[in-house]
């Protein structure tokens, strides 16, 4: 695991919110289930509406995207409902204060069909090209500096739904 600078997953979880009004999410800094640094971000979604819920991070300072080519993070989930995930997961959005929006959507559900089978302890590594590629469809215009990141998930089922982000 590369020891790189972390944005939004180290220490304080209070900068995170969510977008689905039918769900409730409790964010915590998880010091036990982690890969990089002192903690991961854990999102406990309960109740869960059954629709798309996006975990939303408003950056304290806009994140300059010039010279950046990828969004990378580790993801672990617990979804006890069968058949589990619906639609395409995870979805990514980067926004600025003027509401310029870049959406990155996987071509397949990468949680139902992980990109590789070597994941350990349930963690999957995502390295998403901001320009899109054959795995990630890009739509919208990338902001020069992102003020917000959204990572979206949709499941068929009932709570509990737990998501960890790290790195």
């Amino acid at each position: 695991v590369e020891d790189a600078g972390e944005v939004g997953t180290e220490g304080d979880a209070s900068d995170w919110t969510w977008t689905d009004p039918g769900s409730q999410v409790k964010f915590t800094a998880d010091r036990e289930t982690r890969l990089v640094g002192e903690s991961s971000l854990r999102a406990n979604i309960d109740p869960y509406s059954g629709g798309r819920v996006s975990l939303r991070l408003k950056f304290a300072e806009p994140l300059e995207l010039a010279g950046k080519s990828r969004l990378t993070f580790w993801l672990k989930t617990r979804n006890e409902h069968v058949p589990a995930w619906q639609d395409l997961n995870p979805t990514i959005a980067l926004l600025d204060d003027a509401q310029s929006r870049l959406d990155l959507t996987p071509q397949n559900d990468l949680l139902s069909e992980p990109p590789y089978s070597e994941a350990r302890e349930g963690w999957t590594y995502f390295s998403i090209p901001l320009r899109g590629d054959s795995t990630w469809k890009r739509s919208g215009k990338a902001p020069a500096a992102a003020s917000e990141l959204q990572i979206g998930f949709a499941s068929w089922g009932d709570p509990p739904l737990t998501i960890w982000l790290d790195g």
Side-chain angles (χ1 to χ4, degrees):
V1 175
E2 182 180 353
D3 187 16
E6 296 182 68
V7 176
T9 61
E10 188 62 28
D12 186 11
S14 65
D15 292 333
W16 288 84
T17 61
W18 68 98
T19 61
D20 178 12
S23 297
Q24 293 289 317
V25 183
K26 180 181 178 191
F27 294 96
T28 57
D30 190 331
R31 298 195 188 301
E32 292 181 24
T33 305
R34 62 183 175 81
L35 290 175
V36 180
E38 297 295 320
S39 66
S40 67
L41 174 78
R42 184 169 88 197
N44 292 321
I45 305 169
D46 190 5
Y48 170 58
S49 72
R52 180 151 311 268
V53 60
S54 290
L55 309 182
R56 180 178 179 220
L57 173 63
K58 290 282 282 180
F59 299 117
E61 295 291 325
L63 182 65
E64 296 293 329
L65 297 181
K68 307 278 193 281
S69 62
R70 305 184 87 73
L71 172 67
T72 60
F73 57 89
W74 288 91
L75 174 71
K76 178 177 178 163
T77 64
R78 185 184 74 208
N79 186 348
E80 297 177 7
H81 186 75
V82 176
W85 305 105
Q86 69 173 322
D87 203 11
L88 301 172
N89 292 287
T91 59
I92 306 295
L94 289 164
L95 299 89
D96 67 11
D97 291 330
Q99 296 306 306
S100 291
R101 181 181 177 118
L102 171 65
D103 287 294
L104 295 159
T105 306
Q107 298 297 314
N108 300 315
D109 183 353
L110 298 177
L111 297 183
S112 292
E113 301 170 25
Y116 53 87
S117 62
E118 295 84 16
R120 299 292 186 259
E121 304 295 323
W123 288 98
T124 302
Y125 182 68
F126 286 89
S127 182
I128 304 164
L130 298 179
R131 292 182 181 234
D133 65 6
S134 61
T135 302
W136 292 90
K137 178 184 173 188
R138 174 190 163 132
S139 60
K141 182 176 186 233
S147 60
E148 181 177 322
L149 166 68
Q150 295 180 9
I151 304 175
F153 304 90
S155 170
W156 289 105
D158 300 319
L161 179 59
T162 307
I163 297 166
W164 289 266
L165 294 169
D166 206 0

